[in-house]
Amino acid sequence: NDFRLFIFGIILNFAFLISLGNINNILATSITGEKDYDLKEVKDNVYVVSANGYNVMFLVTGEGVVVIDAPPGIGDKILKAVAEVTNETIGHLIYSHAHKDHIGAAHIIFQQQPKIEIVAQQETADILKMRNDSERPIPTTTFEDNTTLTVGNKTLQLIYPGPYHQRGNIFIYVPEQKV
């Protein structure tokens, strides 16, 4: 029993030291004013924002921004990243599928842009209607198989290969940029 307490104490101290290091990183970020996300342009007007272990791609089209997915914990960072590179507003949000770890911050974007067009495969919309989760707004535009979405100077192919990860999961491809 004493040995268990000893091991538990070591683990607890280790966890405390790790959290202390993370707190120092958080404090350093807020003191120095560094961004709490990474932003990279991967192709012409195609960006990836990364934070909290998540990545989101967005495209600046000349007639609005298209965002693909909105994972939890990164919604506000998506808004900051978009504002960093363009004055265009987010006009479209594409859901790759209904899992919360992909679209759990969609409500943050929706609150900022209530007229946004949310695009998803029909089965994703059906799942979200059934779940009735206010953090994952129901898509406003749906499709059955494959479709294209052209916004400004960008065309995206939305491809439904059938269920494999979840019903309604899609691939999003921008042929002009090959991403």
Side-chain angles (χ1 to χ4, degrees):
N1 203 11
D2 288 337
F3 181 71
R4 285 184 180 161
L5 285 175
F6 175 73
I7 295 297
F8 179 73
I10 289 174
I11 292 170
L12 191 59
N13 280 326
F14 185 68
F16 173 74
L17 291 173
I18 290 172
S19 67
L20 186 60
N22 288 335
I23 288 171
N24 287 336
N25 288 337
I26 292 167
L27 290 175
T29 298
S30 62
I31 291 169
T32 62
E34 292 179 26
K35 294 186 299 188
D36 56 351
Y37 60 90
D38 291 320
L39 178 62
K40 300 222 179 335
E41 185 173 20
V42 294
K43 295 281 184 163
D44 185 37
N45 287 320
V46 179
Y47 297 86
V48 173
V49 58
S50 303
N52 302 328
Y54 293 106
N55 300 303
V56 169
M57 184 172 85
F58 68 88
L59 298 86
V60 178
T61 71
E63 293 182 15
V65 175
V66 178
V67 175
I68 299 167
D69 284 346
I74 192 174
D76 61 326
K77 293 155 186 54
I78 296 168
L79 297 172
K80 289 178 191 176
V82 168
E84 184 177 329
V85 299
T86 186
N87 291 327
E88 295 179 27
T89 59
I90 299 171
H92 294 79
L93 174 59
I94 300 172
Y95 290 168
S96 65
H97 62 289
H99 285 165
K100 198 163 194 160
D101 66 329
H102 280 257
I103 60 170
H107 66 288
I108 293 171
I109 295 172
F110 182 75
Q111 287 169 351
Q112 293 293 316
Q113 302 293 331
K115 294 182 180 181
I116 192 169
E117 184 175 341
I118 301 174
V119 182
Q121 201 277 341
Q122 182 60 52
E123 292 193 52
T124 295
D126 293 343
I127 291 167
L128 293 172
K129 287 175 190 170
M130 185 176 60
R131 299 273 160 80
N132 194 27
D133 180 354
S134 64
E135 294 184 348
R136 296 179 286 172
I138 305 297
T140 56
T141 302
T142 61
F143 62 95
E144 289 292 330
D145 295 315
N146 303 326
T147 193
T148 58
L149 173 67
T150 300
V151 181
N153 60 9
K154 299 281 188 260
T155 297
L156 297 90
Q157 295 176 350
L158 309 181
I159 304 160
Y160 180 54
Y164 65 93
H165 178 64
Q166 182 185 44
R167 291 181 302 118
N169 48 216
I170 63 171
F171 296 119
I172 299 98
Y173 181 61
V174 186
E176 181 185 347
Q177 274 86 8
K178 295 183 173 51
V179 293

